[in-house]
Amino acid sequence: MTDMLKHGLSRRTLIKGTASAAALSLLASPRIVRADEGTIKIGFPVPITGPFGAEAKDQVKSAELAIKQFNAEGGLGGRMAELLVRDDKLNPGEAATRTLELIEKDKANFIVGSLSSAVQLSVNEVTRARGVIYVSISQSDTINEAKDFSRFTFHEAMNPQMTAGAVARYAFKKGQKVAYLTADYAYGHEMVAAFKRTAPAGVETVGEVLHPLGAPDYSAFMPRLLSMKADVLCICNFGRDQANAIKQAVDFGLKAQSRIVVPVLLYKQRLASSPDVFEGVVGAANYYWGIEDTTPSAKAFNDAYRAANGGAVPTDYGAYGYTGIRSLLMAVKAAGSTDTDKVIAAMENLKYDVAKGPQSYRKCDHQSVQQVFVLESKKKSEMKNADDLFKVVNTEPADPATLRSCEELGHKPS
């Protein structure tokens, strides 16, 4: 599906080519208006099956915790919340169909979810057409741009400019040569663009090698990367692709030649590999449980998650499920209602700190402004226990100055 995007098909064309006829007919229906009563239903389409399944299941666990806490606090004047989980199978057409079902059949008040840049844009098309608030928890640059902007959509996840930008500011030095190994779809290209946009003057790009999404073998790409003799190798992919690519880069001796960095360093993928393979790899994260020593809201989130999940700690993408739903339900409470326009106004004015320090939604594009953590994978001898995977080597504050400006994204000054 991402190949379709690569070849220039529009997201609306993409949805039309994959969603059911019944689902498509609903896109033309008028805006949904729900009675402000009854259970507050939150639709949650995520890829339970497929290569991002491990991260999606963590998102569900954290989302369930957020719902449980809201209900334990009395809900909205006694109105309880309910989470409706659906498997979008990492497919934009499937996601569009499931989202329409959630809105039309299940009467969802809000939609939160998705774990792929292509899928979230598909969900965004549906929720924009139906006038339903959507909180996206997948990285994307394009969802913030004016051409894709929806006043109903809020982007809780960070965007590539935030993560790749933070890594570039930390790891790139003047005079260095940089090479890229990139997954050939929207996410990979957005990450490379953000690295290049942020790189300081005097940093030279010496080459870029593209690989297909879900490639099982990277050995054919490694000799080309070795020949570039780069100081820094940026591996711009996600999920199992990231773990496989890093392992094979190490096997081919690239770590001895280049510092390996990734735009997003994933807890699950590090856990699925060995500390020796990932030792010294640097990347950004929206969340790491280890910040609990300095961040009270992280300690509270970790403790509640541990209690609900047999002592396990929350993961980075799992945390998005928590912060996305907590921020939405905080806005519902602030609005005193589930009315769409009232909740949008409340979210635009919301200041929240539920797991990682202060956050707020920028009004022009509804991007969540938040801290970015730059992590380095620990060597085995440094780990205190099996969960002690990373050290925080830099923390970028929640600052709109690190984002692309509203004007750069195509929004008109208000």
Side-chain angles (χ1 to χ4, degrees), residues 48-380:
I48 300 298
T49 55
F52 301 167
E55 284 78 14
K57 289 170 185 171
D58 280 344
Q59 289 184 323
V60 172
K61 290 177 184 176
S62 293
E64 289 174 339
L65 176 60
I67 296 287
K68 181 180 178 181
Q69 291 179 331
F70 175 79
N71 290 341
E73 294 164 357
L76 176 64
R79 291 179 66 189
M80 298 292 106
E82 178 184 5
L83 189 72
L84 307 176
V85 179
R86 298 292 182 270
D87 186 2
D88 65 31
K89 301 180 181 177
L90 204 62
N91 180 302
E94 181 77 15
T97 301
R98 298 284 83 80
T99 302
L100 279 166
E101 286 180 355
L102 283 163
I103 294 170
E104 297 292 337
K105 179 182 175 184
D106 301 309
K107 311 300 182 187
N109 298 87
F110 308 105
I111 301 294
V112 179
S114 78
L115 186 46
S116 152
S117 53
V119 170
Q120 72 165 342
L121 292 171
S122 173
V123 174
N124 188 54
E125 290 279 4
V126 176
T127 52
R128 177 164 57 183
R130 305 302 288 125
V132 173
I133 291 175
Y134 168 44
V135 180
S136 170
I137 53 175
S138 172
Q139 285 215 47
S140 173
D141 256 349
T142 56
I143 203 167
N144 297 115
E145 295 175 353
K147 63 182 176 58
D148 280 307
F149 178 73
S150 161
R151 65 179 290 263
F152 303 102
T153 296
F154 290 80
H155 195 219
E156 169 63 22
M158 296 190 292
N159 58 46
Q161 182 60 35
M162 298 167 77
T163 53
V167 174
R169 282 186 284 273
Y170 173 77
F172 287 9
K173 310 298 179 190
K174 184 179 179 181
Q176 287 183 327
K177 297 178 179 178
V178 179
Y180 296 91
L181 175 63
T182 305
D184 192 9
Y185 75 119
Y187 172 89
H189 295 295
E190 288 179 5
M191 290 296 180
V192 172
F195 272 120
K196 292 180 178 177
R197 190 183 299 120
T198 310
V203 170
E204 178 188 0
T205 297
V206 292
E208 180 177 355
V209 176
L210 302 177
H211 73 78
L213 179 66
D217 184 3
Y218 295 81
S219 58
F221 309 122
M222 296 305 164
R224 290 175 58 195
L225 291 167
L226 272 169
S227 70
M228 294 174 190
K229 301 186 183 305
D231 301 297
V232 179
L233 171 61
C234 296
I235 296 181
C236 297
N237 52 21
F238 191 86
R240 285 200 297 263
D241 287 357
Q242 183 185 94
N244 291 337
I246 291 175
K247 182 179 185 309
Q248 293 190 34
V250 172
D251 289 344
F252 273 78
L254 270 157
K255 192 189 281 186
Q257 174 178 284
S258 310
R259 186 178 199 181
I260 296 178
V261 307
V262 295
V264 179
L265 189 54
L266 293 164
Y267 183 92
K268 279 287 187 184
Q269 298 313 315
R270 161 59 191 86
L271 206 59
S273 187
S274 74
D276 293 338
V277 168
F278 269 72
E279 179 185 333
V281 173
V282 168
N286 61 302
Y287 187 77
Y288 175 51
W289 71 270
I291 64 172
E292 68 179 10
D293 293 340
T294 56
T295 309
S297 58
K299 180 69 165 60
F301 172 43
N302 290 344
D303 287 347
Y305 190 94
R306 289 185 180 106
N309 294 280
V313 294
T315 65
D316 33 42
Y317 265 70
Y320 278 141
Y322 184 76
T323 56
I325 288 186
R326 282 293 304 272
S327 65
L328 170 65
L329 290 176
M330 287 177 71
V332 167
K333 277 199 171 184
S337 167
T338 53
D339 176 82
T340 299
D341 291 332
K342 292 179 181 177
V343 176
I344 289 174
M347 292 190 79
E348 289 181 339
N349 290 290
L350 188 67
K351 308 291 183 187
Y352 58 107
D353 177 2
V354 296
K356 55 169 294 184
Q359 294 182 249
S360 61
Y361 288 105
R362 187 167 65 171
K363 193 168 184 177
C364 75
D365 63 348
H366 290 175
Q367 170 63 46
S368 176
V369 182
Q370 57 190 286
Q371 292 187 121
V372 184
F373 306 101
V374 180
L375 310 178
E376 181 177 320
S377 190
K378 288 184 174 181
K379 62 173 70 173
K380 189 174 183 179

